[in-house]
Amino acid sequence: EVHLVESGGGLVQPGGSLRLSCAASGFTFSTYSMSWVRQAPGKGLEWVSAINGGDGTISYADSVKGRFTISRDDTKNTLYLQMNNLQPADSAVYYCAKSEGAWYNPKREYDGWGQGTQVTVSS
């Protein structure tokens, strides 16, 4: 079965940086698009970024473009999110999620989720 485990969250000051990791198992990692999705307290899920399987095409939400970088290491079955210039509005639980296929499609549900890692940006 699909198993995803996030790590790397924590408390950081505004303007600081964190690097999140997602360790994947139970499927052929390199084949599938992977995403980061976040949920702030009292708010709904917000898609953050995606990276395709195969061609590696990357996309970002406008709110994080220029500050966050998604990457993957298919030899380690690991997804990453480098977060720079963090703002209080970035505070959320961050989840990694597996798409059904190689390409990110915002109209399709994810078929695998991790438990999430907490990111708190505060002075």
Side-chain angles (χ1 to χ4, degrees), residues 12-13 15-20 35-39 46-50 58-71 80-95 119-121:
V12 65
Q13 294 182 341
S17 297
L18 286 172
R19 191 190 195 206
L20 307 183
S35 288
W36 289 99
V37 181
R38 67 187 182 185
Q39 186 168 33
E46 179 189 17
W47 172 80
V48 174
S49 184
I58 289 169
S59 54
Y60 298 100
D62 288 343
S63 59
V64 307
K65 194 173 299 181
R67 300 187 298 119
F68 290 12
T69 303
I70 192 171
S71 62
Y80 302 98
L81 185 68
Q82 178 67 47
M83 305 185 294
N84 297 328
N85 192 23
L86 284 160
Q87 307 167 21
D90 297 315
S91 296
V93 177
Y94 283 72
Y95 301 94
V119 172
T120 303
V121 185

Side-chain angles (χ1 to χ4, degrees), residues 91-113:
S91 296
V93 177
Y94 283 72
Y95 301 94
C96 63
K98 173 189 173 293
S99 294
E100 292 179 334
W103 297 349
Y104 168 65
N105 185 343
K107 300 179 180 180
R108 298 287 293 180
E109 295 278 356
Y110 298 106
D111 64 2
W113 292 85

Side-chain angles (χ1 to χ4, degrees), residues 22-81:
C22 171
S25 61
F27 64 101
T28 304
F29 179 75
S30 62
T31 299
Y32 293 93
S33 177
M34 299 293 297
S35 288
W36 289 99
V37 181
R38 67 187 182 185
Q39 186 168 33
K43 298 186 178 180
L45 293 168
E46 179 189 17
W47 172 80
V48 174
S49 184
I51 182 166
N52 284 356
D55 69 6
T57 300
I58 289 169
S59 54
Y60 298 100
D62 288 343
S63 59
V64 307
K65 194 173 299 181
R67 300 187 298 119
F68 290 12
T69 303
I70 192 171
S71 62
R72 64 194 299 160
D73 186 341
D74 290 340
T75 71
K76 298 180 179 179
N77 289 351
T78 303
L79 177 73
Y80 302 98
L81 185 68

